[in-house]
Amino acid sequence: MTRLLLWRHGQTAWNAGGRVQGQIDTPLSETGLAQAAAAAPRLAALEPDVLVASDLRRASATMAALAALVDVPVTYDPRLRERSFGEWEGLTHPEILATWPEAFERWRHGEPVDDADVEAVDALSKRMTDALEEIVSTAPPGATIVVATHGAAARHATCALLGWPQSLASTLGALLNCHSTDLRFDETRGWQLAGHNLP
Protein backbone atom coordinates (compact mmCIF):
# COMPACT_ATOMS: atom_id res chain seq x y z
CA MET A 1 0.00 0.00 0.00
CA THR A 2 1.32 3.42 -0.94
CA ARG A 3 1.41 6.03 1.83
CA LEU A 4 0.99 9.72 0.96
CA LEU A 5 1.60 12.35 3.61
CA LEU A 6 0.40 15.86 2.79
CA TRP A 7 2.58 18.01 5.06
CA ARG A 8 1.64 21.64 5.59
CA HIS A 9 4.49 24.14 5.73
CA GLY A 10 5.66 25.81 8.94
CA GLN A 11 4.36 29.12 10.19
CA THR A 12 5.01 32.40 8.42
CA ALA A 13 4.64 35.93 9.76
CA TRP A 14 1.52 36.23 7.62
CA ASN A 15 0.01 33.12 9.24
CA ALA A 16 0.63 34.66 12.64
CA GLY A 17 -0.78 38.00 11.50
CA GLY A 18 -3.93 36.53 9.95
CA ARG A 19 -3.11 37.57 6.39
CA VAL A 20 -4.24 35.54 3.40
CA GLN A 21 -1.12 34.29 1.60
CA GLY A 22 -2.37 32.34 -1.38
CA GLN A 23 0.46 32.20 -3.90
CA ILE A 24 2.48 35.13 -2.56
CA ASP A 25 5.92 33.70 -1.82
CA THR A 26 6.29 34.39 1.89
CA PRO A 27 9.20 32.86 3.85
CA LEU A 28 9.03 30.84 7.05
CA SER A 29 9.30 32.79 10.29
CA GLU A 30 11.71 31.73 13.05
CA THR A 31 8.77 29.86 14.58
CA GLY A 32 8.11 28.12 11.27
CA LEU A 33 11.74 27.06 10.91
CA ALA A 34 11.63 25.63 14.44
CA GLN A 35 8.37 23.80 13.68
CA ALA A 36 9.90 22.22 10.57
CA ALA A 37 13.02 21.19 12.47
CA ALA A 38 10.88 19.60 15.21
CA ALA A 39 8.60 17.72 12.80
CA ALA A 40 11.30 16.48 10.41
CA PRO A 41 12.72 13.69 12.61
CA ARG A 42 9.26 12.11 13.01
CA LEU A 43 8.80 12.04 9.24
CA ALA A 44 12.36 10.85 8.68
CA ALA A 45 11.61 7.88 10.95
CA LEU A 46 9.00 6.77 8.40
CA GLU A 47 11.84 6.28 5.88
CA PRO A 48 10.27 8.22 3.00
CA ASP A 49 11.06 7.11 -0.53
CA VAL A 50 9.86 10.23 -2.37
CA LEU A 51 9.96 13.92 -1.39
CA VAL A 52 8.06 16.53 -3.40
CA ALA A 53 7.36 20.15 -2.45
CA SER A 54 5.45 23.13 -3.67
CA ASP A 55 7.90 25.58 -5.18
CA LEU A 56 6.82 28.37 -2.82
CA ARG A 57 9.51 29.15 -0.24
CA ARG A 58 7.48 28.30 2.83
CA ALA A 59 6.91 24.76 1.56
CA SER A 60 10.36 24.20 0.07
CA ALA A 61 12.08 25.43 3.26
CA THR A 62 9.89 23.11 5.33
CA MET A 63 10.87 20.19 3.12
CA ALA A 64 14.54 21.15 3.41
CA ALA A 65 14.41 20.29 7.12
CA LEU A 66 13.34 16.74 6.24
CA ALA A 67 15.66 16.39 3.26
CA ALA A 68 18.61 17.17 5.54
CA LEU A 69 17.86 13.97 7.49
CA VAL A 70 17.25 11.47 4.67
CA ASP A 71 19.11 10.51 1.51
CA VAL A 72 16.25 11.35 -0.85
CA PRO A 73 16.28 14.13 -3.46
CA VAL A 74 13.53 16.75 -3.42
CA THR A 75 11.56 17.65 -6.52
CA TYR A 76 9.40 20.76 -6.82
CA ASP A 77 6.02 21.12 -8.49
CA PRO A 78 4.15 24.44 -8.90
CA ARG A 79 0.86 22.52 -9.10
CA LEU A 80 1.23 21.94 -5.34
CA ARG A 81 0.97 25.66 -4.57
CA GLU A 82 -1.70 27.09 -2.31
CA ARG A 83 -5.03 28.19 -3.73
CA SER A 84 -4.71 31.54 -5.46
CA PHE A 85 -6.76 34.13 -3.61
CA GLY A 86 -6.42 36.86 -6.22
CA GLU A 87 -7.10 40.33 -4.85
CA TRP A 88 -7.44 38.96 -1.32
CA GLU A 89 -3.78 38.00 -1.05
CA GLY A 90 -2.00 40.07 1.57
CA LEU A 91 -5.23 41.16 3.26
CA THR A 92 -6.58 40.28 6.69
CA HIS A 93 -10.05 38.78 7.10
CA PRO A 94 -11.54 42.08 8.35
CA GLU A 95 -10.09 43.86 5.30
CA ILE A 96 -11.62 41.29 2.95
CA LEU A 97 -14.95 41.46 4.76
CA ALA A 98 -15.04 45.24 4.41
CA THR A 99 -14.75 45.14 0.61
CA TRP A 100 -16.26 41.76 -0.34
CA PRO A 101 -18.76 40.95 2.44
CA GLU A 102 -20.92 38.52 0.48
CA ALA A 103 -18.00 36.67 -1.11
CA PHE A 104 -16.23 36.47 2.25
CA GLU A 105 -19.27 34.87 3.86
CA ARG A 106 -19.52 32.35 0.99
CA TRP A 107 -15.86 31.48 1.49
CA ARG A 108 -16.32 31.04 5.24
CA HIS A 109 -19.17 28.61 4.58
CA GLY A 110 -17.25 26.62 1.97
CA GLU A 111 -19.31 27.95 -0.92
CA PRO A 112 -18.00 29.03 -4.35
CA VAL A 113 -16.35 32.44 -4.58
CA ASP A 114 -16.63 34.13 -7.97
CA ASP A 115 -15.14 37.47 -6.95
CA ALA A 116 -11.69 39.05 -6.74
CA ASP A 117 -10.01 36.49 -9.04
CA VAL A 118 -10.09 33.82 -6.32
CA GLU A 119 -9.19 30.42 -7.82
CA ALA A 120 -12.17 28.08 -8.16
CA VAL A 121 -12.09 25.05 -5.89
CA ASP A 122 -12.59 22.73 -8.87
CA ALA A 123 -9.47 24.17 -10.54
CA LEU A 124 -7.47 23.87 -7.32
CA SER A 125 -8.60 20.29 -6.79
CA LYS A 126 -7.79 19.29 -10.37
CA ARG A 127 -4.25 20.66 -10.39
CA MET A 128 -3.55 19.12 -6.98
CA THR A 129 -4.93 15.68 -7.85
CA ASP A 130 -3.21 15.72 -11.25
CA ALA A 131 0.10 16.32 -9.46
CA LEU A 132 -0.48 13.83 -6.65
CA GLU A 133 -1.71 11.03 -8.88
CA GLU A 134 1.31 11.52 -11.13
CA ILE A 135 3.64 11.41 -8.11
CA VAL A 136 2.02 8.20 -6.83
CA SER A 137 1.95 6.53 -10.24
CA THR A 138 5.67 7.10 -10.78
CA ALA A 139 6.75 6.11 -7.25
CA PRO A 140 7.89 2.58 -6.40
CA PRO A 141 5.05 0.23 -5.32
CA GLY A 142 4.35 0.60 -1.61
CA ALA A 143 6.34 3.82 -1.37
CA THR A 144 6.08 6.35 1.43
CA ILE A 145 5.73 9.80 -0.14
CA VAL A 146 5.95 13.13 1.67
CA VAL A 147 4.54 16.18 -0.09
CA ALA A 148 5.15 19.62 1.43
CA THR A 149 2.21 21.80 0.48
CA HIS A 150 -0.37 24.21 1.91
CA GLY A 151 -3.46 24.10 4.09
CA ALA A 152 -6.35 24.73 1.72
CA ALA A 153 -4.61 22.88 -1.11
CA ALA A 154 -4.14 19.80 1.09
CA ARG A 155 -7.73 19.78 2.38
CA HIS A 156 -9.30 20.09 -1.05
CA ALA A 157 -6.91 17.53 -2.52
CA THR A 158 -7.84 15.11 0.25
CA CYS A 159 -11.53 15.46 -0.55
CA ALA A 160 -10.91 15.03 -4.27
CA LEU A 161 -8.76 11.91 -3.85
CA LEU A 162 -11.31 10.32 -1.51
CA GLY A 163 -14.20 11.16 -3.85
CA TRP A 164 -15.87 13.42 -1.29
CA PRO A 165 -17.86 16.52 -2.30
CA GLN A 166 -15.72 19.63 -1.95
CA SER A 167 -18.33 21.03 0.44
CA LEU A 168 -16.94 18.58 3.02
CA ALA A 169 -13.44 20.12 2.97
CA SER A 170 -14.23 22.33 5.95
CA THR A 171 -15.31 19.31 8.01
CA LEU A 172 -11.69 18.11 7.99
CA GLY A 173 -10.76 21.11 10.08
CA ALA A 174 -7.76 23.34 9.57
CA LEU A 175 -4.46 21.61 8.87
CA LEU A 176 -2.09 23.21 11.37
CA ASN A 177 1.40 24.35 10.48
CA CYS A 178 3.78 21.39 10.08
CA HIS A 179 0.94 18.88 10.61
CA SER A 180 -0.01 16.32 8.00
CA THR A 181 -2.82 14.34 6.43
CA ASP A 182 -2.05 10.62 6.04
CA LEU A 183 -3.57 8.95 2.96
CA ARG A 184 -3.14 5.36 1.76
CA PHE A 185 -3.69 3.91 -1.70
CA ASP A 186 -3.99 0.41 -3.04
CA GLU A 187 -5.30 -0.90 -6.34
CA THR A 188 -8.23 -2.74 -4.76
CA ARG A 189 -9.66 -0.22 -2.30
CA GLY A 190 -8.38 3.01 -3.81
CA TRP A 191 -7.74 5.99 -1.53
CA GLN A 192 -8.31 5.82 2.22
CA LEU A 193 -7.89 8.41 4.97
CA ALA A 194 -5.62 7.11 7.74
CA GLY A 195 -5.27 10.33 9.72
CA HIS A 196 -5.64 14.11 9.60
CA ASN A 197 -3.88 16.98 11.33
CA LEU A 198 -1.17 14.68 12.65
CA PRO A 199 1.79 16.35 14.39
Side-chain angles (χ1 to χ4, degrees), residues 6 18 29 45 72 87 102 137 159:
L6 301 180
S29 64
V72 179
E87 296 175 59
E102 293 179 4
S137 69
C159 283

Side-chain angles (χ1 to χ4, degrees), residues 49-125:
D49 303 289
V50 178
L51 303 180
V52 188
S54 156
D55 63 341
L56 295 179
R57 282 184 293 169
R58 57 193 186 270
S60 60
T62 298
M63 182 61 86
L66 174 56
L69 303 180
V70 297
D71 187 22
V72 179
V74 181
T75 58
Y76 304 91
D77 192 328
R79 294 176 295 177
L80 300 172
R81 290 181 178 187
E82 181 58 291
R83 182 180 185 182
S84 172
F85 284 95
E87 296 175 59
W88 292 2
E89 292 184 359
L91 302 180
T92 63
H93 289 192
E95 289 169 340
I96 297 168
L97 179 61
T99 305
W100 296 274
E102 293 179 4
F104 182 76
E105 288 303 317
R106 290 198 303 274
W107 177 46
R108 286 184 57 208
H109 290 94
E111 298 170 2
V113 176
D114 301 320
D115 304 70
D117 294 323
V118 175
E119 183 179 14
V121 165
D122 287 348
L124 166 64
S125 300

